[in-house]
Amino acid sequence: MSNKKTLAFYAASGCGGCSQSLMLSPSLAAMLEGVDIAFWATQGADLTSDDISGFDDKGIDVLIYAGPLHDESSIDTAKLLRRKAKRIVSYGACAHLGGLCGLTNVYPGAQLRALSKTDGEGFVQPLSAVIDVDYILPGCPPPEAMVTRMVEELFLSDDVPEIGTVFASSKGVCAECGREHVRNPLTAIRRFHTDPPDPSVCLIDQGYICLGPVTRGGCEAVCLRSNRPCTGCAGPVAGVLDQGGAILHALASLVSFSGDGNEEKEHQVLDSIPDVVGTAYKYSAASSLLKKRVNDGK
Amino acid sequence: MASNVIALIPHFDEVVLTDNNKLAARVAIPQTGDGFSSYMRGRLAEDLPLYVQRLDTHCAVSQHLAAVSALDRCYGASPPEKAVRIRRALAYAGVYYHHLEQLFLSRPSGDVGIAGLVTTDETLAPTDIFETLGRARDVIDILGGRGITPECGIAGGVTKGPTDDELPRAKDISSHLLEFALQAEKGFRGSGAIWVTEHDLSVPAYSLGTVNDVAEASLYDGALRIVDPEGTETAVGGTKEILPILLAWKEDLPLRVGPLARLNVGSGASTPQAKALQKYLFDALGEPPIDRVAAGHWAMVIELVESAELLVSALTTLETGDSVINSALNDPCEGIAAIEGASGTLLHHYVIDEQGIVQEARIVSPESLRATEVNAALSSAISDGASGVTEGVIEQIVSVIGSYQPAYVPSAAFPLRITLHDKGGKVAKEWRRP
Amino acid sequence: MSDNTGFEPKIIAFLCKWTTYAAADLCGVSRMPYPPNISIISVNCTGEVTADMILSSLAKGADGILIGGCRPGHCRYEGGNIKGSNRVYLLKRALREFGVNTERIREVGIAGAQGLVFQRAVEKFTADIRALGPSPVVSNV
């Protein structure tokens, strides 16, 4: 019997970006040398529950799971995979946070892709809502530097990473951004396509909504280097539970502050923030503390 | 490890058989209709290019650029020359990335190549393929601001241009990409071409594609053109002329898009080396219009060369420095744009309100257009004496699907499911491909 | 008004220790009863109340959230109360999108000496939440 680790990749219905990001890692070749691949599959397409059942319990050393959970069958498969795998990596924003599909939890009738929701009850959940997850690799799709770190720590090193490791920075995106911080109050909300930002100054200081302060870094602030705001794909920074709530909290703290108890002006600025949930909870609605829309009278 | 070709045809997520008096089959179309429009309603206009590429990251660049073009129209913007050039180069890099990924099936489990066809040439090892795919991704990263899912596109321009360090690197990579494409084409001609000649499923169909000023097939922008199965032009123009035709398209009229359609709509490839390589294809299969489904794979290999040639020349037009990369925008309204995406013609239609919030977002995707062609292929394959749904019929369906792979471009990966419906429309029997 | 007899709302109160909490304390020492539905968490300032605290309370079953600080202009921390109030204002916009009735969150400014005001505020809020009925949020979790 080979002493190689057994690796499996499983993608529930997703866009294919996670699989690509893993395959394009410069350390892929090194990883493949050191592992036996049990399967490299997308939901239903390559292997059925029976096929998965055929593996020994804990027979897979590392399972990389990508994509959101959205119905009974994806939940059952996730539970089955949990039995078969010693370690599970929640890979990419959908598995980690619910991803962009999670906004469908808030807006009834919305569909990003044709997820086969079997009934009205189905809603998008992150993997960790259903099974214990050992490691997390954030990002939509995960950036190269983080993928490389995961490959190195999981497959190329003799040490086993501690359970709960997130293969990203423990600091926020701001720590990697490098833009100048000028501490302006927020007096009006600007949009980067109608009103392009100064590429050297903090976007929030210029009035753009950027999720950098509340989002886990490790991406080298890739979006900011393109002169665009961070949209939060890596999920909340360590210590924060609700990414959307945290950015709203931060923005409300930055409005120009009259302090006189007459907050009409401040409220006007806050009212002008467009698409609050789509902006603050873009990837994390399904893993937010509220999880989905409720019917609460008004 | 044997490669399971069927497993890699995710777009055929569902084949529906209707067993009335006559057996008919159709593929279920991935949804980009009302569900998507209501997903986008209320979202920010500038986020459209971000959302649409997560519909299908295999052609993320095409989706991104189609969204950006439609936003240009919504905001009445004309992007400055530099931005146009950056987008163009990005588009070609996207086609290259897409084709390479589709052609080589991109699985690290060792079974790469069109059913192992290209890799029979020992000069192309799987690791070379992954490395080259990675380098194509790096060009997308340089031009689009992020690999796999670029993000530089905005209404009226781009947010970023290549820097002094990046541009020479992109140029270096692009010449490697061209070299690799030429090698892959040679490898394909040695073995894959034989496979194509052996798969003789032919579906006479109309072809939709984009042509440039001199009527050559375009891999990014130009005029939309439809030709009939004999190759005669039936329509040409912009989205204004073509969209109504597509919306009124009869389901039983097969319409082809993608590499094979591009072979049929124009006067051939737009670059010298690709043009020369097309001769081999025409020698083997005859002059266009070509109806042989599997020829789409060959056409895709030639487009791999073409997109690399186009990328190399597009990069020579780029400059670094501070020149303007976006233009002022007008008040938003409705806008429609089409681009030639890697997997076929792609139309995006948006309605944006005065606050810059999405009201409607509709996408006419290559997959939905192509369904007419695939349905015709399925029907012709199962009609011969089929009196019921036997294992033989299922096999024929699977064989049809095999002819489309990989030219029939995968989106999100879904299982192949074949269902038989009774007269009431209920599922009477179901097969899942194991 | 819906019939919610028998429903005992769970209310979490985040109270500024300098003012509203002191008022609650005063109720205690003065033997002025207020509804037992309320569980008080003392904070240094309502500016300290994060979105995580409010949302976690809802997710863990709170039917109502009372945030009690200083009256405007009386904050010990140069307007932490007003910043806190701006945060709640913006968070409510998101809560409405999630379908949550934002009347479940109420802000009050009560001075330390106003025990009676506190007593009445809690009575009123408890009655209002009872009328709203149980929060549907907890069923998500």
Side-chain angles (χ1 to χ4, degrees), chain A residues 137-164:
Chain A
L137 181 59
C140 183
E144 191 178 312
M146 294 191 200
V147 179
T148 303
R149 189 183 145 194
M150 178 196 80
V151 170
E152 281 171 1
E153 294 188 17
L154 270 182
F155 300 104
L156 308 181
S157 152
D158 294 332
D159 303 327
V160 180
E162 210 178 303
I163 301 283

PDB file of all heavy atoms in Angstrom, chain A residues 137-164:
ATOM      1  N   LEU A 137     -10.541  27.579   3.088  1.00  0.00           N
ATOM      2  CA  LEU A 137      -9.806  28.373   2.105  1.00  0.00           C
ATOM      3  C   LEU A 137     -10.792  29.346   1.479  1.00  0.00           C
ATOM      4  O   LEU A 137     -11.649  28.952   0.701  1.00  0.00           O
ATOM      5  CB  LEU A 137      -9.178  27.478   1.028  1.00  0.00           C
ATOM      6  CG  LEU A 137      -8.371  28.245  -0.018  1.00  0.00           C
ATOM      7  CD1 LEU A 137      -7.254  29.025   0.643  1.00  0.00           C
ATOM      8  CD2 LEU A 137      -7.786  27.320  -1.050  1.00  0.00           C
ATOM      9  N   PRO A 138     -10.706  30.626   1.873  1.00  0.00           N
ATOM     10  CA  PRO A 138     -11.694  31.596   1.391  1.00  0.00           C
ATOM     11  C   PRO A 138     -11.398  32.082  -0.027  1.00  0.00           C
ATOM     12  O   PRO A 138     -10.359  31.758  -0.604  1.00  0.00           O
ATOM     13  CB  PRO A 138     -11.556  32.757   2.368  1.00  0.00           C
ATOM     14  CG  PRO A 138     -10.484  32.399   3.327  1.00  0.00           C
ATOM     15  CD  PRO A 138      -9.738  31.245   2.776  1.00  0.00           C
ATOM     16  N   GLY A 139     -12.317  32.888  -0.541  1.00  0.00           N
ATOM     17  CA  GLY A 139     -12.096  33.577  -1.813  1.00  0.00           C
ATOM     18  C   GLY A 139     -13.046  33.142  -2.901  1.00  0.00           C
ATOM     19  O   GLY A 139     -13.532  32.020  -2.890  1.00  0.00           O
ATOM     20  N   CYS A 140     -13.328  34.058  -3.823  1.00  0.00           N
ATOM     21  CA  CYS A 140     -14.242  33.746  -4.923  1.00  0.00           C
ATOM     22  C   CYS A 140     -13.630  34.190  -6.240  1.00  0.00           C
ATOM     23  O   CYS A 140     -13.839  35.322  -6.646  1.00  0.00           O
ATOM     24  CB  CYS A 140     -15.586  34.429  -4.718  1.00  0.00           C
ATOM     25  SG  CYS A 140     -16.793  34.026  -5.989  1.00  0.00           S
ATOM     26  N   PRO A 141     -12.924  33.324  -6.943  1.00  0.00           N
ATOM     27  CA  PRO A 141     -12.380  32.059  -6.434  1.00  0.00           C
ATOM     28  C   PRO A 141     -11.142  32.329  -5.568  1.00  0.00           C
ATOM     29  O   PRO A 141     -10.613  33.429  -5.588  1.00  0.00           O
ATOM     30  CB  PRO A 141     -11.986  31.329  -7.722  1.00  0.00           C
ATOM     31  CG  PRO A 141     -11.716  32.409  -8.711  1.00  0.00           C
ATOM     32  CD  PRO A 141     -12.587  33.574  -8.343  1.00  0.00           C
ATOM     33  N   PRO A 142     -10.672  31.306  -4.830  1.00  0.00           N
ATOM     34  CA  PRO A 142      -9.525  31.533  -3.947  1.00  0.00           C
ATOM     35  C   PRO A 142      -8.312  32.057  -4.724  1.00  0.00           C
ATOM     36  O   PRO A 142      -7.984  31.532  -5.775  1.00  0.00           O
ATOM     37  CB  PRO A 142      -9.242  30.138  -3.385  1.00  0.00           C
ATOM     38  CG  PRO A 142     -10.553  29.449  -3.434  1.00  0.00           C
ATOM     39  CD  PRO A 142     -11.217  29.949  -4.683  1.00  0.00           C
ATOM     40  N   PRO A 143      -7.674  33.104  -4.211  1.00  0.00           N
ATOM     41  CA  PRO A 143      -6.498  33.653  -4.889  1.00  0.00           C
ATOM     42  C   PRO A 143      -5.310  32.696  -4.826  1.00  0.00           C
ATOM     43  O   PRO A 143      -5.196  31.891  -3.900  1.00  0.00           O
ATOM     44  CB  PRO A 143      -6.190  34.928  -4.114  1.00  0.00           C
ATOM     45  CG  PRO A 143      -7.285  35.122  -3.149  1.00  0.00           C
ATOM     46  CD  PRO A 143      -8.021  33.848  -3.006  1.00  0.00           C
ATOM     47  N   GLU A 144      -4.452  32.858  -5.810  1.00  0.00           N
ATOM     48  CA  GLU A 144      -3.323  31.946  -5.970  1.00  0.00           C
ATOM     49  C   GLU A 144      -2.473  31.804  -4.705  1.00  0.00           C
ATOM     50  O   GLU A 144      -2.102  30.694  -4.322  1.00  0.00           O
ATOM     51  CB  GLU A 144      -2.460  32.462  -7.128  1.00  0.00           C
ATOM     52  CG  GLU A 144      -1.415  31.475  -7.565  1.00  0.00           C
ATOM     53  CD  GLU A 144      -0.616  32.029  -8.750  1.00  0.00           C
ATOM     54  OE1 GLU A 144      -1.247  32.517  -9.704  1.00  0.00           O
ATOM     55  OE2 GLU A 144       0.621  31.966  -8.695  1.00  0.00           O
ATOM     56  N   ALA A 145      -2.189  32.932  -4.051  1.00  0.00           N
ATOM     57  CA  ALA A 145      -1.299  32.867  -2.888  1.00  0.00           C
ATOM     58  C   ALA A 145      -1.900  31.987  -1.791  1.00  0.00           C
ATOM     59  O   ALA A 145      -1.192  31.233  -1.122  1.00  0.00           O
ATOM     60  CB  ALA A 145      -1.044  34.271  -2.361  1.00  0.00           C
ATOM     61  N   MET A 146      -3.209  32.072  -1.607  1.00  0.00           N
ATOM     62  CA  MET A 146      -3.855  31.268  -0.564  1.00  0.00           C
ATOM     63  C   MET A 146      -3.881  29.794  -0.950  1.00  0.00           C
ATOM     64  O   MET A 146      -3.710  28.914  -0.106  1.00  0.00           O
ATOM     65  CB  MET A 146      -5.286  31.750  -0.355  1.00  0.00           C
ATOM     66  CG  MET A 146      -5.421  33.141   0.213  1.00  0.00           C
ATOM     67  SD  MET A 146      -7.176  33.343   0.659  1.00  0.00           S
ATOM     68  CE  MET A 146      -7.322  35.100   0.722  1.00  0.00           C
ATOM     69  N   VAL A 147      -4.122  29.518  -2.239  1.00  0.00           N
ATOM     70  CA  VAL A 147      -4.148  28.130  -2.690  1.00  0.00           C
ATOM     71  C   VAL A 147      -2.775  27.509  -2.477  1.00  0.00           C
ATOM     72  O   VAL A 147      -2.642  26.391  -1.971  1.00  0.00           O
ATOM     73  CB  VAL A 147      -4.539  28.037  -4.185  1.00  0.00           C
ATOM     74  CG1 VAL A 147      -4.544  26.588  -4.646  1.00  0.00           C
ATOM     75  CG2 VAL A 147      -5.903  28.657  -4.423  1.00  0.00           C
ATOM     76  N   THR A 148      -1.749  28.272  -2.814  1.00  0.00           N
ATOM     77  CA  THR A 148      -0.388  27.776  -2.650  1.00  0.00           C
ATOM     78  C   THR A 148      -0.111  27.464  -1.187  1.00  0.00           C
ATOM     79  O   THR A 148       0.472  26.431  -0.859  1.00  0.00           O
ATOM     80  CB  THR A 148       0.617  28.831  -3.172  1.00  0.00           C
ATOM     81  OG1 THR A 148       0.284  29.086  -4.529  1.00  0.00           O
ATOM     82  CG2 THR A 148       2.039  28.351  -3.067  1.00  0.00           C
ATOM     83  N   ARG A 149      -0.573  28.347  -0.315  1.00  0.00           N
ATOM     84  CA  ARG A 149      -0.344  28.109   1.112  1.00  0.00           C
ATOM     85  C   ARG A 149      -1.039  26.825   1.565  1.00  0.00           C
ATOM     86  O   ARG A 149      -0.481  26.011   2.292  1.00  0.00           O
ATOM     87  CB  ARG A 149      -0.851  29.307   1.920  1.00  0.00           C
ATOM     88  CG  ARG A 149      -0.449  29.201   3.365  1.00  0.00           C
ATOM     89  CD  ARG A 149      -0.983  30.320   4.204  1.00  0.00           C
ATOM     90  NE  ARG A 149      -1.292  29.774   5.524  1.00  0.00           N
ATOM     91  CZ  ARG A 149      -2.018  30.393   6.442  1.00  0.00           C
ATOM     92  NH1 ARG A 149      -2.509  31.587   6.199  1.00  0.00           N
ATOM     93  NH2 ARG A 149      -2.241  29.826   7.599  1.00  0.00           N
ATOM     94  N   MET A 150      -2.255  26.632   1.093  1.00  0.00           N
ATOM     95  CA  MET A 150      -2.987  25.419   1.471  1.00  0.00           C
ATOM     96  C   MET A 150      -2.261  24.173   0.987  1.00  0.00           C
ATOM     97  O   MET A 150      -2.075  23.215   1.736  1.00  0.00           O
ATOM     98  CB  MET A 150      -4.396  25.449   0.876  1.00  0.00           C
ATOM     99  CG  MET A 150      -5.179  24.188   1.212  1.00  0.00           C
ATOM    100  SD  MET A 150      -6.649  23.943   0.183  1.00  0.00           S
ATOM    101  CE  MET A 150      -5.920  23.258  -1.295  1.00  0.00           C
ATOM    102  N   VAL A 151      -1.841  24.209  -0.277  1.00  0.00           N
ATOM    103  CA  VAL A 151      -1.161  23.045  -0.838  1.00  0.00           C
ATOM    104  C   VAL A 151       0.104  22.750  -0.044  1.00  0.00           C
ATOM    105  O   VAL A 151       0.379  21.600   0.321  1.00  0.00           O
ATOM    106  CB  VAL A 151      -0.842  23.287  -2.336  1.00  0.00           C
ATOM    107  CG1 VAL A 151       0.077  22.202  -2.869  1.00  0.00           C
ATOM    108  CG2 VAL A 151      -2.127  23.342  -3.145  1.00  0.00           C
ATOM    109  N   GLU A 152       0.853  23.790   0.260  1.00  0.00           N
ATOM    110  CA  GLU A 152       2.103  23.580   0.994  1.00  0.00           C
ATOM    111  C   GLU A 152       1.842  23.010   2.379  1.00  0.00           C
ATOM    112  O   GLU A 152       2.467  22.037   2.785  1.00  0.00           O
ATOM    113  CB  GLU A 152       2.886  24.893   1.096  1.00  0.00           C
ATOM    114  CG  GLU A 152       3.628  25.178  -0.203  1.00  0.00           C
ATOM    115  CD  GLU A 152       4.232  26.565  -0.248  1.00  0.00           C
ATOM    116  OE1 GLU A 152       4.100  27.320   0.743  1.00  0.00           O
ATOM    117  OE2 GLU A 152       4.828  26.891  -1.299  1.00  0.00           O
ATOM    118  N   GLU A 153       0.891  23.597   3.089  1.00  0.00           N
ATOM    119  CA  GLU A 153       0.679  23.151   4.477  1.00  0.00           C
ATOM    120  C   GLU A 153       0.006  21.782   4.547  1.00  0.00           C
ATOM    121  O   GLU A 153       0.266  21.002   5.446  1.00  0.00           O
ATOM    122  CB  GLU A 153      -0.119  24.199   5.262  1.00  0.00           C
ATOM    123  CG  GLU A 153       0.673  25.477   5.437  1.00  0.00           C
ATOM    124  CD  GLU A 153       0.002  26.476   6.372  1.00  0.00           C
ATOM    125  OE1 GLU A 153      -0.894  26.069   7.139  1.00  0.00           O
ATOM    126  OE2 GLU A 153       0.384  27.658   6.325  1.00  0.00           O
ATOM    127  N   LEU A 154      -0.859  21.507   3.589  1.00  0.00           N
ATOM    128  CA  LEU A 154      -1.597  20.241   3.669  1.00  0.00           C
ATOM    129  C   LEU A 154      -0.857  19.077   3.029  1.00  0.00           C
ATOM    130  O   LEU A 154      -0.976  17.942   3.461  1.00  0.00           O
ATOM    131  CB  LEU A 154      -2.956  20.380   2.973  1.00  0.00           C
ATOM    132  CG  LEU A 154      -4.144  20.838   3.787  1.00  0.00           C
ATOM    133  CD1 LEU A 154      -5.382  20.861   2.912  1.00  0.00           C
ATOM    134  CD2 LEU A 154      -4.379  19.947   4.985  1.00  0.00           C
ATOM    135  N   PHE A 155      -0.127  19.371   1.953  1.00  0.00           N
ATOM    136  CA  PHE A 155       0.421  18.257   1.177  1.00  0.00           C
ATOM    137  C   PHE A 155       1.933  18.213   1.117  1.00  0.00           C
ATOM    138  O   PHE A 155       2.512  17.179   0.865  1.00  0.00           O
ATOM    139  CB  PHE A 155      -0.135  18.315  -0.254  1.00  0.00           C
ATOM    140  CG  PHE A 155      -1.621  18.218  -0.306  1.00  0.00           C
ATOM    141  CD1 PHE A 155      -2.395  19.338  -0.551  1.00  0.00           C
ATOM    142  CD2 PHE A 155      -2.258  17.004  -0.074  1.00  0.00           C
ATOM    143  CE1 PHE A 155      -3.771  19.252  -0.578  1.00  0.00           C
ATOM    144  CE2 PHE A 155      -3.635  16.920  -0.105  1.00  0.00           C
ATOM    145  CZ  PHE A 155      -4.396  18.041  -0.350  1.00  0.00           C
ATOM    146  N   LEU A 156       2.580  19.348   1.278  1.00  0.00           N
ATOM    147  CA  LEU A 156       4.024  19.343   1.077  1.00  0.00           C
ATOM    148  C   LEU A 156       4.789  19.432   2.391  1.00  0.00           C
ATOM    149  O   LEU A 156       6.002  19.360   2.407  1.00  0.00           O
ATOM    150  CB  LEU A 156       4.436  20.498   0.152  1.00  0.00           C
ATOM    151  CG  LEU A 156       3.680  20.585  -1.178  1.00  0.00           C
ATOM    152  CD1 LEU A 156       4.183  21.748  -2.008  1.00  0.00           C
ATOM    153  CD2 LEU A 156       3.802  19.278  -1.954  1.00  0.00           C
ATOM    154  N   SER A 157       4.070  19.589   3.485  1.00  0.00           N
ATOM    155  CA  SER A 157       4.758  19.721   4.760  1.00  0.00           C
ATOM    156  C   SER A 157       4.529  18.464   5.581  1.00  0.00           C
ATOM    157  O   SER A 157       3.534  17.761   5.403  1.00  0.00           O
ATOM    158  CB  SER A 157       4.212  20.956   5.492  1.00  0.00           C
ATOM    159  OG  SER A 157       4.340  20.789   6.880  1.00  0.00           O
ATOM    160  N   ASP A 158       5.457  18.178   6.479  1.00  0.00           N
ATOM    161  CA  ASP A 158       5.305  16.996   7.330  1.00  0.00           C
ATOM    162  C   ASP A 158       4.323  17.247   8.468  1.00  0.00           C
ATOM    163  O   ASP A 158       3.724  16.333   9.004  1.00  0.00           O
ATOM    164  CB  ASP A 158       6.656  16.581   7.911  1.00  0.00           C
ATOM    165  CG  ASP A 158       7.587  16.097   6.802  1.00  0.00           C
ATOM    166  OD1 ASP A 158       7.065  15.606   5.782  1.00  0.00           O
ATOM    167  OD2 ASP A 158       8.816  16.241   6.953  1.00  0.00           O
ATOM    168  N   ASP A 159       4.189  18.524   8.828  1.00  0.00           N
ATOM    169  CA  ASP A 159       3.258  18.846   9.911  1.00  0.00           C
ATOM    170  C   ASP A 159       1.840  18.916   9.367  1.00  0.00           C
ATOM    171  O   ASP A 159       1.622  19.304   8.227  1.00  0.00           O
ATOM    172  CB  ASP A 159       3.603  20.207  10.525  1.00  0.00           C
ATOM    173  CG  ASP A 159       5.032  20.235  11.019  1.00  0.00           C
ATOM    174  OD1 ASP A 159       5.501  19.168  11.473  1.00  0.00           O
ATOM    175  OD2 ASP A 159       5.684  21.292  10.914  1.00  0.00           O
ATOM    176  N   VAL A 160       0.912  18.559  10.210  1.00  0.00           N
ATOM    177  CA  VAL A 160      -0.494  18.678   9.827  1.00  0.00           C
ATOM    178  C   VAL A 160      -0.996  20.011  10.375  1.00  0.00           C
ATOM    179  O   VAL A 160      -0.784  20.308  11.553  1.00  0.00           O
ATOM    180  CB  VAL A 160      -1.307  17.517  10.442  1.00  0.00           C
ATOM    181  CG1 VAL A 160      -2.768  17.628  10.054  1.00  0.00           C
ATOM    182  CG2 VAL A 160      -0.734  16.185   9.986  1.00  0.00           C
ATOM    183  N   PRO A 161      -1.623  20.831   9.546  1.00  0.00           N
ATOM    184  CA  PRO A 161      -2.115  22.109  10.075  1.00  0.00           C
ATOM    185  C   PRO A 161      -3.149  21.884  11.171  1.00  0.00           C
ATOM    186  O   PRO A 161      -3.893  20.907  11.141  1.00  0.00           O
ATOM    187  CB  PRO A 161      -2.768  22.779   8.866  1.00  0.00           C
ATOM    188  CG  PRO A 161      -2.396  21.995   7.674  1.00  0.00           C
ATOM    189  CD  PRO A 161      -1.937  20.654   8.127  1.00  0.00           C
ATOM    190  N   GLU A 162      -3.148  22.796  12.102  1.00  0.00           N
ATOM    191  CA  GLU A 162      -4.084  22.730  13.221  1.00  0.00           C
ATOM    192  C   GLU A 162      -5.526  22.785  12.697  1.00  0.00           C
ATOM    193  O   GLU A 162      -5.812  23.527  11.753  1.00  0.00           O
ATOM    194  CB  GLU A 162      -3.832  23.968  14.073  1.00  0.00           C
ATOM    195  CG  GLU A 162      -4.116  23.802  15.536  1.00  0.00           C
ATOM    196  CD  GLU A 162      -3.774  25.102  16.266  1.00  0.00           C
ATOM    197  OE1 GLU A 162      -2.606  25.556  16.154  1.00  0.00           O
ATOM    198  OE2 GLU A 162      -4.676  25.650  16.899  1.00  0.00           O
ATOM    199  N   ILE A 163      -6.401  22.018  13.312  1.00  0.00           N
ATOM    200  CA  ILE A 163      -7.816  22.073  12.916  1.00  0.00           C
ATOM    201  C   ILE A 163      -8.313  23.512  13.079  1.00  0.00           C
ATOM    202  O   ILE A 163      -7.993  24.167  14.065  1.00  0.00           O
ATOM    203  CB  ILE A 163      -8.664  21.149  13.824  1.00  0.00           C
ATOM    204  CG1 ILE A 163      -8.184  19.708  13.745  1.00  0.00           C
ATOM    205  CG2 ILE A 163     -10.155  21.258  13.507  1.00  0.00           C
ATOM    206  CD1 ILE A 163      -8.588  18.959  12.526  1.00  0.00           C
ATOM    207  N   GLY A 164      -9.074  23.962  12.128  1.00  0.00           N
ATOM    208  CA  GLY A 164      -9.595  25.330  12.208  1.00  0.00           C
ATOM    209  C   GLY A 164      -8.743  26.334  11.448  1.00  0.00           C
ATOM    210  O   GLY A 164      -9.093  27.509  11.373  1.00  0.00           O
TER     211      GLY A 164
END
